[in-house]
Amino acid sequence: MAEKRYHHGNLKECLIEAGIDLINEEGEKHFSLRRVAALCGVTNAAPYSHFNSKEELLNAMQNYVTNQFTAELKKSIKDEDLDSPTAIIKLGKCYVMFFIRNPQYFDFLFSQSSVRVDLNMNDDGANNYPPFELLRKLTFRVFGKMGLPQEEIKDIVISEWATVHGLAAIATMKGISYDHDWEQKIEDIIVHE
Amino acid sequence: MAEKRYHHGNLKECLIEAGIDLINEEGEKHFSLRRVAALCGVTNAAPYSHFNSKEELLNAMQNYVTNQFTAELKKSIKDEDLDSPTAIIKLGKCYVMFFIRNPQYFDFLFSQSSVRVDLNMNDDGANNYPPFELLRKLTFRVFGKMGLPQEEIKDIVISEWATVHGLAAIATMKGISYDHDWEQKIEDIIVHE
DNA sequence: AACTCTATCTTGACAGTGTAAAGATTCAAG
DNA sequence: CTTGAATCTTTACACTGTCAAGATAGAGTT
């Protein structure tokens, strides 16, 4: 039982994590600034010392989850041969399975999200959405080695992202019934391209 | 100037259409029952004569838009040869372009939506999400004629849906920059499979 | 034509929300 | 020890979804 102090000491991070917990347990619908504040043992307006609005806290929470997502994606290709197509398949499978394991996160991350991506792929992709950037770099590496022209690879990148993102969207829809093993089926579908 | 009558006469439909207008103009964020009621020239609690909750009105609005979406999809393959793969491409292109023309609708229809789909495709698909059902029937028709086994066609259906749904999701993200012609690119990507 | 029933809309209230302003408390630097 | 900045509380306001009670109007019956 932590003693009740005037200064919380770690409120900013506590708000972010409590907010994510709240979304996991009750859904974004029942999320509110005041409830998150209460969960951290703090009053109404305390969050405004760290965030200028509810939306800013939600953005911070999205970044937190996105970092977690990106870390898992990176780990999924850690021991793979980065010049082989199997790495792309591993990455795509991880993309979908992350949201099958955490269905709440899909809507949370992508509905009214601040994902930034240059689909023209002209610049260095520095401020692109990190999961997309992982997929983009890996795909250019693999298909570049195979001698495919840049423009064709661009189409492949978009196609790959659409496939895995679409599969994640479908798999996490609330009214979906599916008896089979997603992990297996996803691999079949990705490989089949 | 409609005279101010106690009974609106057409409130239910008026609420649905005014609600959709509100979402188109200000986004789901600023949608509220009271504002929609005001737009229809009616007070706070009037909507409760036609809907038991805010969520019920939102569902009705989603159905309204989904019907519009389904009608456009049907029209897109009206003059096509339903045994040819080109029909599938037309349908898929229409799926994506609908949301590129109406970006607000993607989040509105699919975030926390009540889409119902049996991906096992065992029953007759009677209460499946209509746009999916269009794609499913058409695909079984085309690839059935080509002699492909049922299980393989099932995978193709899911893959097709994931692709067009994913493309729509990506194309309607707020932070996406893309200089080329979506309609052309989408066709390339769908055909390439 | 008068009456009644029912669907529809209004009024007023309540708890919960995001947010702003003003004040209280603590901590760290000088 | 003092002072200033950072952090948290208190209070207040407008807005929200929802409910209960009452007002109104139209449709059907007699």
Side-chain angles (χ1 to χ4, degrees):
Chain A
M1 317 306 172
E3 20 176 335
K4 171 94 179 176
R5 284 176 304 177
Y6 196 94
H7 285 70
H8 182 284
N10 196 22
L11 184 55
K12 184 164 185 174
E13 198 174 335
C14 181
L15 289 168
I16 293 175
E17 291 174 353
I20 292 174
D21 288 349
L22 189 54
I23 286 201
N24 277 331
E25 286 159 20
E26 310 212 21
E28 200 166 357
K29 171 88 193 273
H30 301 100
F31 172 89
S32 89
L33 257 189
R34 293 166 107 107
R35 290 192 66 186
V36 177
L39 285 177
C40 295
V42 111
T43 56
N44 296 338
Y48 284 89
S49 294
H50 302 276
F51 304 97
N52 290 321
S53 67
K54 176 187 178 183
E55 207 163 352
E56 268 195 16
L57 171 57
L58 284 171
N59 281 346
M61 290 162 54
Q62 284 176 357
N63 288 341
Y64 191 98
V65 175
T66 296
N67 288 340
Q68 185 181 334
F69 180 33
T70 306
E72 289 201 20
L73 289 173
K74 278 181 182 162
K75 197 190 286 180
S76 75
I77 53 173
K78 198 159 205 166
D79 301 323
E80 294 297 313
D81 174 12
L82 294 184
D83 294 329
S84 155
T86 59
I88 297 180
I89 293 167
K90 277 267 164 72
L91 191 69
K93 214 164 85 169
C94 180
Y95 192 106
V96 183
M97 293 310 295
F98 175 82
F99 292 108
I100 289 182
R101 279 197 311 277
N102 311 286
Q104 336 77 337
Y105 284 162
F106 192 83
D107 270 8
F108 175 59
L109 287 186
F110 298 115
S111 77
Q112 170 236 9
S113 81
S114 53
V115 171
R116 280 189 45 79
V117 173
D118 171 26
L119 288 181
N120 305 305
M121 308 178 214
N122 290 323
D123 59 2
D124 61 353
N127 51 4
N128 270 3
Y129 182 60
F132 173 79
E133 203 53 24
L134 282 176
L135 184 65
R136 187 182 73 84
K137 281 190 190 139
L138 183 60
T139 304
F140 267 91
R141 181 171 174 141
V142 170
F143 287 96
K145 275 248 160 92
M146 294 170 56
L148 274 155
Q150 300 272 317
E151 282 304 317
E152 206 162 322
I153 304 183
K154 284 185 186 178
D155 280 358
I156 293 177
V157 171
I158 298 181
S159 176
E160 285 172 346
W161 192 26
T163 301
V164 294
H165 192 80
L167 280 172
I170 289 169
T172 56
M173 284 179 181
K174 283 163 194 162
I176 297 289
S177 80
Y178 189 61
D179 299 335
H180 308 305
D181 177 24
W182 269 115
E183 185 149 19
Q184 179 55 48
K185 217 59 162 189
I186 301 250
E187 182 158 350
D188 294 348
I189 289 174
I190 298 179
V191 171
H192 194 273
E193 290 187 351
Chain B
M1 319 296 178
E3 21 177 335
K4 172 93 179 177
R5 284 176 304 178
Y6 196 95
H7 287 70
H8 183 284
N10 196 23
L11 183 56
K12 184 163 185 174
E13 198 174 335
C14 181
L15 289 168
I16 294 175
E17 291 174 352
I20 293 173
D21 286 350
L22 190 53
I23 286 201
N24 277 330
E25 287 160 18
E26 311 213 19
E28 200 165 358
K29 172 88 194 275
H30 301 99
F31 172 88
S32 90
L33 257 189
R34 293 167 106 107
R35 290 192 65 186
V36 176
L39 284 177
C40 296
V42 112
T43 56
N44 297 336
Y48 284 88
S49 295
H50 302 275
F51 304 98
N52 291 321
S53 67
K54 176 188 177 180
E55 206 162 354
E56 269 196 15
L57 171 57
L58 284 170
N59 281 345
M61 288 163 55
Q62 283 176 358
N63 288 340
Y64 191 98
V65 175
T66 296
N67 288 341
Q68 185 181 333
F69 180 34
T70 306
E72 289 201 20
L73 289 173
K74 277 181 182 160
K75 198 190 284 179
S76 75
I77 54 173
K78 197 158 205 167
D79 301 323
E80 294 297 312
D81 175 11
L82 294 184
D83 294 329
S84 156
T86 59
I88 298 181
I89 294 168
K90 278 268 165 70
L91 191 69
K93 213 165 84 170
C94 180
Y95 192 106
V96 183
M97 292 311 294
F98 176 81
F99 292 108
I100 289 182
R101 277 198 310 279
N102 312 286
Q104 336 77 342
Y105 284 160
F106 191 83
D107 271 8
F108 175 59
L109 287 185
F110 298 115
S111 77
Q112 169 236 10
S113 82
S114 54
V115 171
R116 282 190 43 81
V117 173
D118 172 26
L119 287 182
N120 306 304
M121 308 178 214
N122 289 323
D123 60 1
D124 62 351
N127 51 4
N128 271 3
Y129 181 59
F132 174 79
E133 202 54 24
L134 281 176
L135 183 66
R136 187 182 72 84
K137 280 190 189 140
L138 183 60
T139 304
F140 268 90
R141 181 171 174 141
V142 170
F143 287 95
K145 275 248 159 93
M146 293 171 57
L148 274 154
Q150 300 271 318
E151 283 303 318
E152 206 162 324
I153 302 183
K154 285 185 186 178
D155 281 358
I156 293 176
V157 171
I158 298 181
S159 175
E160 285 172 346
W161 192 26
T163 301
V164 293
H165 192 80
L167 280 172
I170 290 169
T172 57
M173 286 179 180
K174 283 163 194 163
I176 297 289
S177 80
Y178 189 61
D179 298 335
H180 307 305
D181 178 24
W182 268 115
E183 184 149 19
Q184 179 56 47
K185 218 61 164 188
I186 297 227
E187 182 158 350
D188 294 348
I189 290 174
I190 297 179
V191 170
H192 193 273
E193 289 187 352

